[in-house]
Structures are given as C-alpha cells and as structure tokens.
Amino acid sequence: MKRMTKMLSIAATTVVLASSLAACSSNNNGGNNSASSNETAATTDNSATNNNAAATDTSATLPTLKRLDVFQGEDYATYPAGKLLEEKTGYKMTYDMLPQDNPTQKLNLLMASGEPYDIVTTYNDMAMYSDYAKKGALTDLTPLIDQFGPNIKSAISQQSRDALKVDGKLYGIPNIITYPVGFGILIRTDWLDKVGMKMPASTDEFQAVLQAFKDKNPGGHGSQDVPFTLKGDLPMIDDLVGAFGMPNPWNDVNGQLTPRLLDPSFPDYVKYVSGLYAGGLLDKGFVVNKDATAKEKFSSGKAGAIVVHWADIPGISDALTKAAPDAKFAFVPALKGPNGKSGFGANKGFDRLSFVPKSAKNPEDAIKWINASLEPTTFKELAIGVEGTHYTVDNGAYMPILPIFNDERNLANDYMVGTDEANYPQYWQARVHKDPVMFEAFDTLNNKTADADKILNQLSVAPYLEAYSKNNQKLETMSGDYTVKLIAGAEKLDGLGDFQKKFNAEGGEASIKEVNAWYASK
C-alpha cells in the first residue's frame, strides 16, 4: 500500500503541474484517404511546382531554422530525410524533440516561455491548437501563404485549410491521417497456445486468458512476468473502453455527446479494470510505467499483453525476437462487453499539426521552407525515396525496397509539414508495407475489423469550439488521474458523483452545452 501511495503521489504531481499550464486539449479533424493510381492535378500545377521561394535564394543568405518536432528514436539532423530536405530547400535546420511521455506538458512549458521555434509539429490536438491561437501564441499564416506558399495551397486542400481556421485565420498546416484505428491490445499468441486457450472475443474471455497467464506461467519468469501491462497515463484502455460503449473520449449517449467520466457505463468499466488490477492480472506497476517501461516489459518477454500503436510493432518485434525467438503476437479483435458492445475509436482528419509560434524569429522563411518541402517531386522523394532505389510501382501499387527503405525513409513522416493530400495515400502504401509484421498488425486493426466496430470520434470532425478547446485538456487530465486512482483503489466509486460535480464546475458543463449545440446542428 505504501508503494502504491507513492506511485499515485507521483502521478498526482504530474497532473497538478499539467493543470497549472495553459489550458489546451485534444480533438482531431479533417479528411481521409482514397487510393488512386493516378497522380492528380493538385501536384501538377505548374505555377505551384516551379515556384519554390527558397530555391531562389542562396543558402548563404538563408537563416538556420529552429524546429520542434515529435519524439523519434534517431537524431533528426543526421537522418537521411533531414539531409534530403536541407539539400532540396537550401535551409539548414536545428531540431529539438518533444518527450515520448507527456509531450503536451512539455510543449505548454515551451510555448509559455516563448522559446523561438520557427516551426512546431505536434500530434493532432485541435483543441490545444485552437486555444494557442485564441491566446495569441501563433502566427496568422494566411498572408504568408498567400505570398510565399503556392505549393502549400496546391498540396493542402481548401477543406483542410478551412477546418483549421480560428476566427477566419489560418494558424496551422495539417498532415492528413491515412487510417482510422491506431491502438489496440497486443497479445502473445504463443502464450495462448501454451495455456491452451484461443484468442479472446469478449471481456470475460480476456479476463480468463489473463488469469491463465498468471496461473500457468507461460513466460517462464515466475513472479517477474505480468499478464497485462500498459503505461500509467493510459487508464482508458483501447478495445476495453469500446466493450463498455466508450471507444472515444466523447460518445453518443441517447443522442448527446457525453464525456467518458459522465457516461453511464463509466462505473462498470472501472469495476472491470480495477478487478484486473486487484487480481494481479494488470501490471501492479502500471501507475508509474512510462511508455518505454511498458514496452520493455513486453519486448523482454515478461508481459503477455500490452496496449500499443501498430506503428510501434517493428521495434517491439525486433527486441522480443532477441529475448524470446519463438514469440508470436497479434492484436486482440474488438472485444464484446457485458452488454454486447464493442469497437475501436476511429479518427478522420489530421494526424499532426504544424504551426509557427509568435515567438518565431523567421516566420517568412518558415513558410518558404514548408513551401519548398511540399514541392511535388521533393515531397514524393521525402515520403518514399527514389523509384528503383527505395520503392517499386506495379499496376499503381507502391511497394518498398528493403532494407534501404527502412534505413533511409522509415522516419520520413516525422519531417513532413503538411502532406500532398492528393497523392500521399498512394505513396503511403509503400510506407505501411515497410515491415511485414507491422503490416499484419495494421491490417488486423484497420482492414479486418468490421466497419461497425470502427466508431468515429465525432469530435475529430468538429470545427473550433471555444469552451471545449479552453477546458478539454484540464478535464482530460482530471479524469485520467481520477480514473487511475479508481483502478488502483486509492479512490472509491462512491465518490464519483462529487467528482462529476467538480468536473462540471471546472468547465465540463459549458463544454457539454457547446459540443451538443454543434452536434445537433450537424
């Protein structure tokens, strides 16, 4: 109990710090992919193709740009995609990365301190982006794109640009999302074979499998093994929340979009997951697990299941193969809950957003750099390399040439600021096939999951909503911390009503009113 109290204290400290920062939050937006073998007019506009503002300058006169980007495991400056962009745009870049854990917390600190980044790229968080814009922290890109961004206008659809406008001004450039489902529960199928059980199809079967993992020690490490692990800031477990009718942060309850904390199914979900924790089926250390900690437990062969994104599979697979050469794994399909519900949260719209902070020293050059990176041939070479060297095309299907594709383009998406929306879905075929094991995982979640179990996050296609944008991060942090405490037994469900009142007073009620006024108008 003393250890658990210490762990919860650490988690609570994190929440307090996050809550003291600028109010930001999460939401997605935009359009999705539709494969076509033809490269379309958007990338053949000659005025856009040839108008590369940066190329008209010499590198000697161009400033070095400072960029903040998402976490990656290799040095941004020396990776081949970074070198390519320096060559093609003429600009040198310096890079900083957001951390793998709690990146929004770090971003808030950097934005509040006025760190002079010329370009900032984050995973899509529309509410956070809108809140930054409303607080005057971002540069209005509209006049800069009009003057220096013909390739940007050609690559980014008017629909996408309109979706990012706040009070009629454009403050960001989006990368489109090319798939609906990202996360699921990855399970050791060789452990299933060892305990004589099949892939679970319901929450009851999942619990029975975890119990068998605990009782029969298929990992062979005794008490060091854990049936199911996850990181501490992920109390809403993908797939399981869908089994309780809450696949998205806000779900339709009798025609009203309702946040999970106020969802009638929330207590049942908590009872189920806290039961896993109390029974030793969920990692007792999950409260303090970082992303890397949880992955290490699985990839070292000491965990039977974990929640991960399909794009994380290659690294996990490589490490697990070294630790347990006979290991096999697969994503658990959509589990049926006690009331027959199931599903994964599904997003449309944008994967990442990039913006130019007001504190940027070189906003014009930032737009020139983005424009140069979106020149059609440059963008294609960035995304998938050179035909015959990095990829092949057969009847319109792009396939990677391995291993050079992974050596030189595996992380290319981290360098994109905006995407060639007309053609990237075709290029992306090569990217998603870059690892057969990863493709199988992607295929399970996105192609083999029934459409009925891919449940759209309605707020991923919402316009700017002022109260929601202002309050959502604070409310998500409150709810997440509270849910962790409920699962670990430090809070009791008897107090849920009081916490819900606090949630509403802290902006929940205003957000619900605003969100549902928009939802009713759709």
Side-chain angles (χ1 to χ4, degrees):
M1 183 65 189
K2 184 176 180 181
R3 174 174 168 74
M4 184 180 76
T5 302
K6 182 179 179 182
M7 291 191 293
L8 290 171
S9 175
I10 293 171
T13 301
T14 300
V15 170
V16 169
L17 179 57
S19 300
S20 69
L21 301 174
C24 308
S25 57
S26 64
N27 177 10
N28 301 316
N29 216 333
N32 208 351
N33 58 312
S34 174
S36 165
S37 61
N38 297 321
E39 297 184 10
T40 61
T43 58
T44 56
D45 183 320
N46 289 334
S47 63
T49 303
N50 298 320
N51 194 343
N52 180 342
T56 63
D57 296 325
T58 64
S59 59
T61 65
L62 299 176
T64 297
L65 301 179
K66 186 175 182 181
R67 182 175 176 186
L68 178 66
D69 213 322
V70 299
F71 177 86
Q72 71 172 28
E74 296 191 37
D75 185 345
Y76 266 94
T78 58
Y79 191 76
K83 292 292 186 184
L84 172 76
L85 286 176
E86 283 196 358
E87 174 190 332
K88 295 293 185 181
T89 68
Y91 284 94
K92 290 192 175 300
M93 307 284 286
T94 61
Y95 294 93
D96 286 333
M97 287 188 286
L98 291 166
Q100 198 167 15
D101 296 290
N102 298 313
T104 301
Q105 182 179 335
K106 180 67 174 180
L107 178 60
N108 284 338
L109 288 170
L110 292 170
M111 293 294 289
S113 68
E115 193 71 22
Y117 289 107
D118 295 304
I119 301 170
V120 174
T121 299
T122 70
Y123 290 111
N124 181 24
D125 191 332
M126 278 290 289
M128 179 185 72
Y129 156 79
S130 301
D131 196 44
Y132 282 165
K134 291 291 286 187
K135 288 178 176 175
L138 307 184
T139 300
D140 176 13
L141 304 182
T142 312
L144 295 175
I145 291 175
D146 284 343
Q147 187 170 0
F148 303 115
N151 292 329
I152 298 172
K153 286 186 172 181
S154 293
I156 312 296
S157 69
Q158 188 66 50
Q159 180 184 14
S160 294
R161 283 180 274 149
D162 287 345
L164 284 180
K165 286 183 177 177
V166 177
D167 295 336
K169 296 179 179 178
L170 178 64
Y171 294 94
I173 294 177
N175 291 14
I176 58 170
I177 195 166
T178 47
Y179 56 88
V181 182
F183 286 87
I185 299 172
L186 197 71
I187 195 167
R188 286 282 296 272
T189 53
D190 58 316
W191 282 27
L192 286 174
D193 293 340
K194 287 180 180 178
V195 301
M197 300 185 78
K198 63 180 182 180
M199 180 68 81
S202 68
T203 49
D204 285 346
E205 290 181 8
F206 182 62
Q207 184 168 353
V209 162
L210 297 182
Q211 189 68 54
F213 284 179
K214 179 185 177 186
D215 295 342
K216 298 182 180 180
N217 190 28
H221 302 97
S223 61
Q224 294 182 45
D225 287 343
V226 293
F228 182 29
T229 190
L230 68 154
K231 60 180 183 175
D233 62 353
L234 198 65
M236 299 298 182
I237 303 170
D238 292 272
D239 202 347
L240 292 181
V241 284
F244 287 87
M246 306 184 298
N248 295 300
W250 291 59
N251 297 282
D252 190 319
V253 178
N254 299 322
Q256 295 283 303
L257 285 183
T258 304
R260 283 169 173 153
L261 186 80
L262 304 184
D263 195 298
S265 297
F266 180 78
D268 290 336
Y269 170 77
V270 169
K271 288 175 186 175
Y272 177 81
V273 180
S274 62
L276 299 182
Y277 181 83
L281 307 183
L282 175 62
D283 187 358
K284 288 290 186 183
F286 97 91
V287 174
V288 295
N289 275 352
K290 300 293 186 183
D291 183 77
T293 315
K295 286 176 180 171
E296 194 279 333
K297 290 180 180 179
F298 188 85
S299 61
S300 66
K302 297 179 179 177
I306 186 175
V307 177
V308 291
H309 193 284
W310 57 262
D312 290 333
I313 296 296
I316 290 172
S317 177
D318 289 347
L320 181 58
T321 298
K322 294 177 182 175
D326 296 328
K328 297 178 181 177
F329 53 77
F331 272 118
V332 175
L335 295 168
K336 292 286 185 185
N339 295 318
K341 295 182 177 179
S342 62
F344 295 95
N347 283 305
K348 292 178 68 177
F350 305 140
D351 175 44
R352 302 179 189 194
L353 298 177
S354 299
F355 45 82
V356 178
K358 267 288 178 60
S359 55
K361 291 183 177 178
N362 307 290
E364 290 186 4
D365 287 283
I367 295 302
K368 290 179 180 177
W369 181 88
I370 296 169
N371 187 67
S373 73
L374 285 171
E375 190 280 326
T377 57
T378 297
F379 179 80
K380 185 175 184 179
E381 188 170 348
L382 167 65
I384 54 175
V386 177
E387 185 173 1
T389 300
H390 298 93
Y391 69 92
T392 60
V393 184
D394 184 11
N395 291 323
Y398 288 81
M399 294 296 289
I401 297 173
L402 302 177
I404 191 172
F405 187 96
N406 286 336
D407 291 340
E408 298 186 356
R409 290 296 181 273
N410 185 38
L411 303 175
N413 57 319
D414 289 341
Y415 292 81
M416 297 174 188
V417 176
T419 44
D420 179 343
E421 293 185 4
N423 292 304
Y424 189 52
Q426 289 83 59
Y427 303 160
W428 197 73
Q429 296 173 42
R431 299 196 58 76
V432 77
H433 281 91
K434 61 190 179 185
D435 184 293
V437 178
M438 183 188 74
F439 179 77
E440 184 177 345
F442 162 84
D443 195 42
T444 298
L445 289 183
N446 288 283
N447 298 332
K448 295 178 180 175
T449 295
D451 288 344
D453 280 329
K454 292 182 278 193
I455 301 170
L456 178 64
N457 176 5
Q458 295 290 340
L459 285 171
S460 71
V461 293
Y464 167 63
L465 299 169
E466 184 170 5
Y468 169 76
S469 297
K470 178 181 178 182
N471 298 315
N472 191 51
Q473 185 187 21
K474 175 177 60 179
L475 296 177
E476 282 290 307
T477 303
M478 283 176 57
S479 300
D481 182 57
Y482 180 65
T483 305
V484 169
K485 291 181 178 179
L486 287 172
I487 292 171
E491 292 277 1
K492 303 297 181 186
L493 275 171
D494 291 347
L496 177 59
D498 289 339
F499 193 82
Q500 288 173 334
K501 291 178 182 176
K502 181 180 178 182
F503 178 92
N504 281 328
E506 291 286 340
E509 186 173 4
S511 299
I512 292 167
K513 184 177 180 181
E514 179 188 51
V515 164
N516 280 291
W518 163 76
Y519 191 49
S521 70
K522 286 184 65 181

Coordinates of all heavy atoms in Angstrom, one line a residue, residues 1 12 33 79 92 102 110 123 134 136 146 184 210 241 249 257-258 267 275 290 323 399-400 424 430 441 489 512 517:
M1 N 0.8 -1.2 0.0 CA 0.0 0.0 0.0 C 0.9 1.3 0.0 O 0.6 2.2 -0.7 CB -0.9 0.0 1.2 CG -1.9 1.2 1.3 SD -3.1 1.1 -0.1 CE -3.8 2.7 0.0
A12 N -0.1 12.2 -9.3 CA -0.9 13.4 -9.0 C 0.0 14.6 -9.2 O -0.5 15.6 -9.6 CB -1.4 13.3 -7.5
N33 N -8.2 9.0 -46.6 CA -7.6 8.5 -47.8 C -8.5 7.7 -48.7 O -9.4 7.0 -48.3 CB -6.3 7.7 -47.5 CG -6.7 6.5 -46.7 OD1 -7.4 6.6 -45.7 ND2 -6.2 5.4 -47.1
Y79 N 19.6 12.0 -39.8 CA 18.8 11.0 -40.5 C 18.7 11.4 -42.0 O 18.6 12.6 -42.4 CB 17.4 11.0 -39.9 CG 16.6 9.8 -40.4 CD1 16.9 8.5 -40.0 CD2 15.6 9.9 -41.3 CE1 16.2 7.4 -40.4 CE2 14.9 8.9 -41.8 CZ 15.2 7.6 -41.3 OH 14.4 6.5 -41.8
K92 N 19.3 25.1 -43.6 CA 19.7 24.2 -42.6 C 18.8 24.3 -41.4 O 18.1 25.4 -41.2 CB 21.1 24.6 -42.1 CG 22.2 24.3 -43.2 CD 23.6 24.4 -42.6 CE 24.7 24.0 -43.6 NZ 24.5 22.6 -44.0
N102 N 4.2 12.4 -21.9 CA 3.6 13.8 -21.6 C 4.2 14.9 -22.5 O 4.6 15.9 -22.0 CB 3.9 14.1 -20.1 CG 3.2 13.1 -19.1 OD1 2.0 12.8 -19.3 ND2 4.0 12.7 -18.2
L110 N 7.2 25.1 -23.1 CA 8.0 25.8 -24.1 C 7.2 27.0 -24.7 O 7.8 28.0 -25.0 CB 8.4 24.8 -25.2 CG 9.4 23.7 -24.8 CD1 9.6 22.7 -25.8 CD2 10.8 24.4 -24.5
Y123 N 1.5 16.0 -32.5 CA 0.4 15.1 -32.9 C -0.9 15.9 -32.8 O -1.0 16.9 -32.0 CB 0.3 13.9 -32.0 CG 1.4 12.9 -32.3 CD1 2.4 12.7 -31.4 CD2 1.5 12.2 -33.5 CE1 3.5 11.8 -31.6 CE2 2.5 11.4 -33.8 CZ 3.5 11.2 -32.8 OH 4.6 10.3 -33.1
K134 N -6.2 31.3 -30.0 CA -7.1 32.3 -29.3 C -6.2 33.1 -28.3 O -6.6 34.3 -28.0 CB -8.2 31.6 -28.6 CG -9.2 31.0 -29.5 CD -10.0 32.1 -30.2 CE -11.0 32.7 -29.3 NZ -11.9 33.6 -30.0
G136 N -3.3 34.1 -28.8 CA -2.3 34.9 -29.5 C -0.9 34.4 -29.5 O 0.1 35.1 -29.8
D146 N -0.2 33.2 -48.8 CA -0.6 33.9 -50.0 C 0.6 34.4 -50.7 O 0.7 34.4 -52.0 CB -1.5 35.1 -49.7 CG -2.9 34.7 -49.3 OD1 -3.3 33.5 -49.7 OD2 -3.7 35.5 -48.7
G184 N -4.4 -0.8 -30.1 CA -5.2 -2.0 -29.6 C -4.4 -2.8 -28.6 O -3.3 -2.4 -28.2
L210 N -6.0 -13.8 -19.1 CA -5.0 -13.2 -18.2 C -4.8 -14.0 -17.0 O -3.7 -14.1 -16.5 CB -5.5 -11.7 -17.9 CG -5.6 -10.7 -19.0 CD1 -6.0 -9.4 -18.5 CD2 -4.3 -10.6 -19.8
V241 N -12.4 -0.1 -23.5 CA -13.4 1.0 -23.4 C -14.5 0.8 -24.4 O -15.7 1.2 -24.2 CB -12.8 2.4 -23.5 CG1 -12.0 2.8 -22.3 CG2 -11.8 2.5 -24.8
P249 N -13.2 9.6 -26.5 CA -13.3 10.4 -25.3 C -14.7 11.0 -25.1 O -15.1 11.2 -23.9 CB -12.3 11.5 -25.6 CG -11.3 10.9 -26.5 CD -12.1 10.0 -27.4
L257 N -23.6 13.8 -27.1 CA -22.2 13.5 -26.9 C -21.8 13.7 -25.4 O -22.0 14.8 -24.9 CB -21.3 14.4 -27.8 CG -21.3 14.0 -29.3 CD1 -20.3 14.9 -30.1 CD2 -20.9 12.5 -29.5
T258 N -21.3 12.7 -24.8 CA -21.1 12.7 -23.4 C -19.6 12.3 -23.1 O -19.1 11.2 -23.6 CB -22.0 11.6 -22.7 OG1 -23.4 12.0 -23.1 CG2 -21.9 11.6 -21.2
P267 N -18.8 3.6 -14.5 CA -18.6 2.8 -13.3 C -18.3 1.3 -13.7 O -17.5 0.6 -13.0 CB -19.9 3.0 -12.5 CG -20.4 4.3 -13.0 CD -20.1 4.3 -14.4
G275 N -10.9 -4.6 -11.2 CA -10.8 -6.1 -10.8 C -9.6 -6.8 -11.4 O -9.0 -7.6 -10.7
K290 N 6.3 4.4 -17.6 CA 6.4 5.2 -18.8 C 6.2 4.4 -20.0 O 6.1 3.2 -20.0 CB 7.9 5.8 -18.9 CG 8.2 6.7 -17.7 CD 7.4 8.0 -17.6 CE 7.9 8.9 -16.5 NZ 7.1 10.1 -16.3
A323 N 14.8 -11.7 -27.3 CA 14.5 -12.2 -25.9 C 13.9 -13.5 -25.9 O 14.1 -14.4 -25.1 CB 13.7 -11.2 -25.1
M399 N 5.4 -0.3 -53.5 CA 5.9 -1.2 -52.5 C 7.4 -0.8 -52.2 O 8.2 -0.4 -53.1 CB 5.9 -2.6 -53.1 CG 4.5 -3.2 -53.3 SD 3.6 -3.3 -51.7 CE 4.4 -4.7 -51.0
P400 N 7.8 -1.0 -50.9 CA 9.1 -0.6 -50.6 C 10.2 -1.6 -51.0 O 9.9 -2.8 -51.1 CB 9.0 -0.5 -49.0 CG 8.0 -1.5 -48.7 CD 7.0 -1.5 -49.8
Y424 N -0.5 11.5 -51.3 CA 0.1 10.8 -50.2 C -0.5 9.4 -49.9 O 0.2 8.5 -49.5 CB 0.1 11.7 -49.0 CG 0.9 11.1 -47.8 CD1 2.2 10.7 -48.0 CD2 0.4 10.9 -46.5 CE1 3.0 10.1 -47.0 CE2 1.1 10.4 -45.5 CZ 2.4 10.0 -45.7 OH 3.1 9.5 -44.7
A430 N 3.5 2.3 -49.8 CA 4.9 1.8 -49.6 C 5.3 1.9 -48.1 O 6.0 1.0 -47.6 CB 5.9 2.6 -50.4
A441 N -0.2 -6.3 -38.4 CA -0.9 -5.6 -37.2 C -1.8 -4.5 -37.7 O -3.0 -4.4 -37.3 CB 0.1 -5.1 -36.3
G489 N -7.4 1.7 -6.6 CA -8.0 1.5 -5.3 C -7.8 2.7 -4.3 O -8.2 2.6 -3.2
I512 N -20.0 20.6 -22.5 CA -21.1 19.7 -23.0 C -22.2 20.5 -23.7 O -22.7 20.1 -24.8 CB -21.7 19.0 -21.8 CG1 -20.7 18.0 -21.2 CG2 -23.0 18.3 -22.2 CD1 -21.0 17.4 -19.9
A517 N -24.6 21.5 -28.9 CA -25.2 22.5 -29.8 C -24.7 22.3 -31.2 O -25.4 22.3 -32.2 CB -25.0 23.9 -29.3

